[in-house]
Amino acid sequence: MNQYIRSNQQRYLDELFDFLRIPSVSADSRHQHDMLRAAEYIQGKLLDAGMDTAEICPTAGHPVVFSEKIINPALPTILVYGHYDVQPADPLELWHSAPFEPVIKTTAVHPEGAIFARGACDDKGQIYMHVKAIEAMLKYDALTCNVKIMFEGEEEVGSENLGEFVRQNKEKLKADIILISDTSIIANDIPSVETGLRGLAYMEVEVEGPNRDLHSGVYGGAVANPVNVLAQMIASLHDENGKITVKGFYDKVQELSTEERDALEAAPFDLEAYKKDLGIAEVSGEEGYTTRERASIRPTLDVNGIWGGYTGEGSKTVLPSKAFAKISMRLVPDQDWHEISDLFTAHFTAIAPPTVKVKVKPHHGGQPYVTPTDSPGYEAAFKAMAEGFGKTPVPTRGGGSIPIVALFEKELGLKSILFGFGLDSDALHSPNEHYGVFNFMKGIETIPLFYKYYSENFQ
Ligand code: BES
Ligand code: MN
Ligand code: MN
C-alpha cells in the first residue's frame, strides 16, 4: 500500500492544489459561495475514494460534509473530524506567492518542499490526507473499521453551529472514537502525539469617553482619552510576574504535579531556534514556568486587536470618543469558558475609571480538553506514529484550541485523538502558511496504521 501511496504523490498534490485554490474563508461573507464549492469538492473526492455516501448538510452557517463507509456494523467506527474552512489570508502584501495559488518551495525545515497556500496545513492539507488514506485502504482492502467523516466549515470562526448539528445527529454520528488531524508534531524527526488542547474565551471591549471626537488641543488634558484609558486597563490585566489579574481567573486551574511537568519537559525543545524563528531577542511570560509550559499547560490573556481614533494616512489631532479591543484568553482544565467570560466582564467593568463607560461583549469560546493516555485510541495513535516515523513519539500538550472537541465528549460521549502532522512553524494563520510534502505524505501513510492498531483492540 505504501508503494501505491508513494507512486500517487503527484496526483494527490494536484488534487490538493485544486482544493486549496478554493478560497474557503469562513469569516468573510464574500466567500460564502466558495464555502459551498469547497464542501462540494471534498464531497466529490470522498465518493471517488469509495465512501458509501457523502452529503452536504446545511446548518445555520456553513455546511457540514458528512460521509460514511460501513463495512460491518459489528466492527468499531472511527469518526474523522476536520475543517475545510480557512483563516482570512490578510495581510496579503506579506505573502511571497498568492495565498490561493498553491506552489511548492523548499525551506530550511522542509528541504523536500512545502506547499505554500492558506489552509495548506490548517486544515485542508490535513483533512485531505484522510481522504487519500481511505482511498488507499479501500483499494487494498485494508479498511479494518467503519469510518464516518464530519468536515465542518466554521472551525476558524468558533464552530458556533456545529454543536446544534451534533445534538441533532447523535445517531448518525455514533462511533467509538474521534480522530482529528489539526494539530502539530514537534519536528519531522521528532514525532509526537498531542494530549490536550486549550480552551478559549474571546471578548470584545468598548471604552467610551466624551460623546464625540474632540479637538485634542482644545480638550486634551482635561477629558479622559478612551484610548489612553483602555491602554492602562489592558496593561493592568497582567502583574509584574506575568500573572493575569482578573479576579478568580486561576481558581480552577489544575496545577500539574512535578512528575507531570518533568515528563512534558523531557520533550526536546530548542529555545534558541524558537527565538530565531520568531526574530525575538527574549521570550516572556508567567514567572515560574518554561516557554513550553507557558504555551500549553498555563492559561493566558492576549489582545488580538486594538483600535480607536485616527489611524489613516498622516496625522489628525483628535481625542477619540471611543476605543476598542479584542481580547482572548486561552484556558486550561478545569477552567470553564462561560465562567471565565463572566469573571472577565466583572473585572473589566470594575477597573474602569468613572471617566468612561465600558461595554464587554463575549464572542465565542470553548472548553479545554485532555486526552487520556491510557486509552485504546491514544495507544493506537502512539503505535501508529512510532511505526510511521520509525521513532518513539513524545506526548505533548498543545497550546491551540479546537473548541468543539470538549463538546464531542459531552454530547457524544466520545474521546478525541489528536493525530496532527503539521509543525508549529508552518505559519498557520500567518502569511505564507505552508505544509511539508513530507508531512502530507507521512500522514497518508500513517493514518492506515491508526486504523490497524485501533481495530486490533476489538479482536
Ligand atoms: N488547528 C488549529 C488549532 C491548533 C493549531 C491546535 C496548532 C494545536 C496546534 C485550529 O484551526 C485553530 O486555529 N483554532 C482556533 C480556534 C478559534 C478560532 C475558535 C485557535 O486556536 O485560535
Ligand atoms: Mn485547524
Ligand atoms: Mn486554525
Side-chain angles (χ1 to χ4, degrees):
M1 187 158 67
N2 280 351
Q3 193 48 48
Y4 168 82
I5 290 172
R6 279 171 211 161
S7 62
N8 277 278
Q9 173 171 325
Q10 192 53 51
R11 176 173 62 86
Y12 295 167
L13 289 171
D14 290 343
E15 292 169 6
L16 174 61
F17 274 34
D18 282 340
F19 188 32
L20 292 170
R21 284 192 188 98
I22 306 170
S24 49
V25 182
S26 50
D28 188 341
S29 56
R30 288 170 301 181
H31 288 295
Q32 188 157 356
H33 182 64
D34 296 317
M35 294 301 298
L36 185 60
R37 279 173 58 216
E40 284 169 354
Y41 185 85
I42 205 77
Q43 175 192 35
K45 292 299 173 191
L46 283 162
L47 291 171
D48 292 348
M51 297 294 285
D52 295 334
T53 63
E55 41 179 325
I56 293 189
C57 311
T59 71
H62 301 300
V64 172
V65 179
F66 180 82
S67 171
E68 64 179 16
K69 178 89 193 173
I70 307 297
I71 51 172
N72 175 353
L75 288 171
T77 301
I78 296 174
L79 173 58
V80 181
Y81 162 83
H83 60 97
Y84 66 86
D85 65 322
V86 303
Q87 286 274 324
D90 345 28
L92 288 178
E93 65 278 12
L94 296 183
W95 284 78
H96 302 311
S97 57
F100 300 107
E101 275 307 326
V103 287
I104 293 184
K105 285 184 285 189
T106 58
T107 71
V109 179
H110 294 293
E112 61 300 287
I115 306 147
F116 281 77
R118 173 55 87 229
C121 176
D122 187 11
D123 185 30
K124 285 158 117 180
Q126 297 212 60
I127 65 176
Y128 210 64
M129 300 181 317
H130 284 269
V131 182
K132 294 298 101 175
I134 290 166
E135 176 192 294
M137 285 188 281
L138 286 172
K139 183 161 177 79
Y140 282 82
D141 208 12
L143 187 66
T144 48
C145 307
N146 303 308
V147 49
K148 295 182 178 178
I149 301 254
M150 173 173 43
F151 291 153
E152 70 151 318
E154 299 193 305
E155 197 275 343
E156 299 292 11
V157 288
S159 303
E160 282 177 293
N161 297 297
L162 193 63
E164 186 59 20
F165 178 82
V166 169
R167 280 186 285 274
Q168 298 292 325
N169 291 281
K170 287 192 180 174
E171 194 53 36
K172 198 175 186 141
L173 298 171
K174 227 171 154 200
D176 295 280
I177 192 86
I178 298 178
L179 185 63
I180 304 176
S181 295
D182 193 24
T183 51
S184 317
I185 52 171
I186 295 178
N188 283 358
D189 56 354
I190 314 173
S192 54
V193 184
E194 284 193 14
T195 59
L197 293 163
R198 287 195 284 190
L200 185 72
Y202 202 113
M203 320 292 291
E204 184 163 331
V205 299
E206 178 189 309
V207 174
E208 185 181 4
N211 59 9
R212 59 184 188 275
D213 283 6
L214 303 174
H215 189 294
S216 65
V218 177
Y219 291 98
V223 176
N225 179 326
V227 180
N228 297 12
V229 172
L230 176 59
Q232 276 167 352
M233 290 171 73
I234 288 171
S236 80
L237 296 175
H238 287 93
D239 72 10
E240 63 284 5
N241 298 319
K243 288 248 185 279
I244 293 152
T245 57
V246 174
K247 259 206 192 61
F249 186 81
Y250 291 98
D251 286 0
K252 296 209 171 154
V253 170
Q254 257 184 38
E255 298 290 339
L256 271 63
S257 67
T258 313
E259 290 75 42
E260 287 171 309
R261 288 179 68 181
D262 287 349
L264 288 171
E265 241 6 71
F269 178 71
D270 184 341
L271 184 61
E272 287 314 309
Y274 181 87
K275 292 195 283 193
K276 190 157 171 262
D277 175 46
L278 301 176
I280 53 171
E282 236 355 293
V283 292
S284 109
E286 187 181 357
E287 213 168 271
Y289 296 91
T290 65
T291 292
R292 213 182 8 217
E293 287 178 328
R294 289 167 177 171
S296 60
I297 60 163
R298 299 300 296 168
T300 59
L301 182 151
D302 276 291
V303 177
N304 296 255
I306 179 164
W307 69 102
Y310 184 70
T311 55
E313 199 184 330
S315 65
K316 175 186 179 191
T317 49
V318 63
L319 193 161
S321 160
K322 286 182 179 181
F324 305 84
K326 292 189 193 273
I327 299 176
S328 68
M329 290 160 281
R330 296 280 166 175
L331 311 178
V332 300
D334 295 318
Q335 288 176 301
D336 174 280
W337 81 268
H338 299 285
E339 265 174 47
I340 293 291
S341 299
D342 290 346
L343 289 174
F344 179 89
T345 305
H347 180 84
F348 205 75
T349 312
I351 61 171
T355 49
V356 295
K357 289 195 280 272
V358 161
K359 279 189 202 145
V360 184
K361 182 173 107 187
H363 280 282
H364 53 72
Q367 309 294 20
Y369 181 77
V370 174
T371 305
T373 51
D374 57 354
S375 63
Y378 183 83
E379 278 162 24
F382 199 85
K383 281 194 207 161
M385 279 284 180
E387 186 173 330
F389 284 81
K391 232 174 167 178
T392 307
V394 183
T396 57
R397 281 274 290 267
S401 310
I402 308 176
I404 207 67
V405 169
L407 194 132
F408 287 153
E409 173 154 44
K410 183 165 161 247
E411 297 293 342
L412 301 172
L414 295 180
K415 303 278 182 211
S416 290
I417 302 303
L418 304 169
F419 203 55
F421 292 84
L423 298 182
D424 284 343
S425 59
D426 284 345
L428 324 180
H429 297 201
S430 303
N432 305 304
E433 176 179 351
H434 53 277
Y435 190 39
V437 174
F438 167 86
N439 303 69
F440 177 65
M441 295 303 294
K442 187 60 84 184
I444 301 172
E445 287 178 20
T446 306
I447 289 164
L449 298 171
F450 178 85
Y451 282 70
K452 179 177 120 188
Y453 288 121
Y454 187 69
S455 59
E456 275 176 15
N457 288 309
F458 289 80
Q459 277 157 16

